[in-house]
Amino acid sequence: MKRPTIPDLARAAGVSVSTVNRVLNQPELVRSPTRERVLAAAEGIEFYGLGTIENAVKSTQTTHRLGVLLQRGSRAFYLNLGEAITAAACSYGGHKIELTVEYLEDLTPEKVAKHMVSMGERCEVLAIVAPQHPLVADAIDSVLGTGVPVVSLIGPLTAKGNISFVGLDNWKVGRTAAWAFDKMVHEAGKIGVLVGSHRLRNQEMNESGFRSYLREHNTEFSVLEPLPTYESAAVAREHVETLLTNQPDLCGLYISGGGVTGAIAALRAMPKRADFVAVGYELFDDTRAALIDGTLSMIISHPLERFARETIETLMKAKSGGREAGAHQVTFGFDIYTPESV
């Protein structure tokens, strides 16, 4: 077949030949919607000069420098989230986005605060996963003071300035986890709780919602004090081994934060107790396998694609709104997985 010509492209886009020529040679003289329409038509008819049109359209676009600071890249969840946000930025139509995704292995407040300030100097708007701490709050205000909006991911944060939030309704997450124990455990007993850190507000809210549900619906359960894992699989494994050894009436485990792979390893290493329920957080290869083999009873998880889209959308809104704009609050539903649904 004859390859499409410029007149063919003009007809497909519903514009004149001269408009197509201007998109190719003087794109700044053509309105953005028209440029995008010509580009879409070129893709549709497989126009031979598609690359030239793409470059011409991109040359007229403002570059948006977005930054995302996540926790340890060695953890599957954060690596998967980073990849999903990168894909969402690439597919965000009509805009030229320069995305910087960085991971922080040292999660001490001093390191988190310092890295935030560094990224704030390199990006126009910043999304972060961080603990609630005075040093972090001070760093947020420092970044906001330079005119760079800040968006908190997963767990809400507070500072003097306006901070946007994208994530789950963590109160509902906790209550849903408690509902699972209430419905699946036949004889109430003690429930162990793991959190990554007492300063991660999403996990604090998870625990609060968890206890709230059981106070309201089933007071026969005894929820033990939460044990911090410091996002370490080794620490989580040690905690779970101790719980299983020292709490003979332990009927369940709620893994609300980091270290889930260590908790899974501990559960697998000990004789499985009848009527024992374990609820975890976030679906990835290890937790999926634990659901399938019965180590975990249920997983509550962020829907990564939607989370990523909402993150990019909120970063762009925060940037366009400027320093005086109010904070954006975006919450969305979570996914629930059981051994029969994966």
Side-chain angles (χ1 to χ4, degrees):
M1 294 180 62
K2 184 179 69 172
R3 68 181 184 179
T5 63
I6 287 179
D8 293 328
L9 176 56
R11 282 192 293 273
V15 299
S16 65
V17 170
S18 61
T19 296
V20 173
N21 283 324
R22 279 196 296 272
V23 170
L24 286 165
N25 301 303
Q26 295 176 295
E28 68 279 0
L29 300 180
V30 183
R31 294 191 312 118
S32 177
T34 303
R35 294 195 302 263
E36 295 295 335
R37 189 162 73 248
V38 172
L39 176 58
E43 293 172 343
I45 68 173
E46 298 182 352
F47 182 63
Y48 68 90
L50 176 59
T52 302
I53 293 178
E54 287 178 335
N55 290 333
V57 171
K58 287 181 179 179
S59 70
T60 62
Q61 294 174 338
T62 300
T63 299
H64 304 279
R65 293 183 290 111
L66 313 183
V68 177
L69 177 60
L70 302 176
Q71 295 188 2
R72 294 171 178 151
S74 56
R75 288 183 54 191
F77 169 70
Y78 286 111
L79 184 61
N80 293 342
L81 177 57
E83 291 174 350
I85 292 174
T86 299
C90 291
S91 62
Y92 195 79
H95 295 275
K96 185 177 179 181
I97 294 178
E98 182 182 294
L99 178 68
T100 300
V101 178
E102 296 183 0
Y103 302 90
L104 197 57
E105 296 300 320
D106 188 338
L107 302 180
T108 58
E110 294 84 357
K111 292 292 185 180
V112 174
K114 182 177 180 180
H115 205 97
M116 282 174 48
V117 172
S118 171
M119 290 192 72
E121 294 171 349
R122 295 176 276 130
C123 303
E124 295 173 302
V125 60
L126 180 63
I128 61 172
V129 179
Q132 183 67 55
H133 190 277
L135 289 174
V136 173
D138 189 56
I140 290 172
D141 286 325
S142 176
V143 172
L144 290 172
T146 66
V148 175
V150 176
V151 178
S152 175
L153 304 180
I154 299 179
L157 294 172
T158 58
K160 294 178 182 177
N162 289 327
I163 309 169
S164 297
F165 170 69
V166 179
L168 304 179
D169 182 331
N170 295 294
W171 173 268
K172 287 185 178 180
V173 169
R175 288 184 65 89
T176 302
W179 172 90
F181 283 95
D182 186 28
K183 301 305 179 184
M184 288 191 283
V185 177
H186 301 300
E187 186 174 344
K190 294 178 181 177
I191 301 175
V193 179
L194 299 185
V195 296
S197 167
H198 293 305
R199 285 191 175 272
L200 291 170
R201 294 189 65 203
N202 61 305
Q203 294 173 26
E204 178 188 42
M205 294 168 72
N206 286 351
E207 183 201 353
S208 180
F210 189 84
R211 292 179 182 275
S212 169
Y213 177 94
L214 293 178
R215 280 196 302 267
E216 182 180 349
H217 295 284
N218 195 333
T219 57
E220 293 184 11
F221 285 98
S222 174
V223 183
L224 301 177
E225 282 299 302
L227 300 171
T229 66
Y230 308 106
E231 306 293 319
S232 165
V235 174
R237 178 166 187 168
E238 182 178 349
H239 281 323
V240 175
E241 289 173 346
T242 301
L243 284 171
L244 293 172
T245 301
N246 297 341
Q247 303 290 345
D249 56 347
L250 192 75
C251 68
L253 178 68
Y254 177 33
I255 309 161
S256 173
V260 65
T261 54
I264 290 170
L267 291 171
R268 284 180 175 148
M270 302 288 282
K272 184 169 177 56
R273 298 180 180 180
D275 196 27
F276 186 91
V277 169
V279 175
Y281 201 39
E282 305 304 352
L283 185 73
F284 51 92
D285 289 345
D286 290 330
T287 55
R288 181 190 297 271
L291 275 177
I292 292 172
D293 68 21
T295 304
L296 294 180
S297 310
M298 192 176 84
I299 289 287
I300 298 175
S301 184
H302 287 81
L304 285 187
E305 288 188 8
R306 181 172 182 187
F307 191 8
R309 289 197 307 271
E310 297 287 5
T311 296
I312 295 299
E313 182 73 30
T314 303
L315 285 169
M316 293 293 285
K317 287 180 179 178
K319 182 197 169 187
S320 65
R323 182 182 301 194
E324 302 305 319
H328 302 275
Q329 300 293 320
V330 180
T331 59
F332 45 88
F334 42 84
D335 292 334
I336 296 176
Y337 298 92
T338 70
E340 297 300 322
S341 69
V342 292

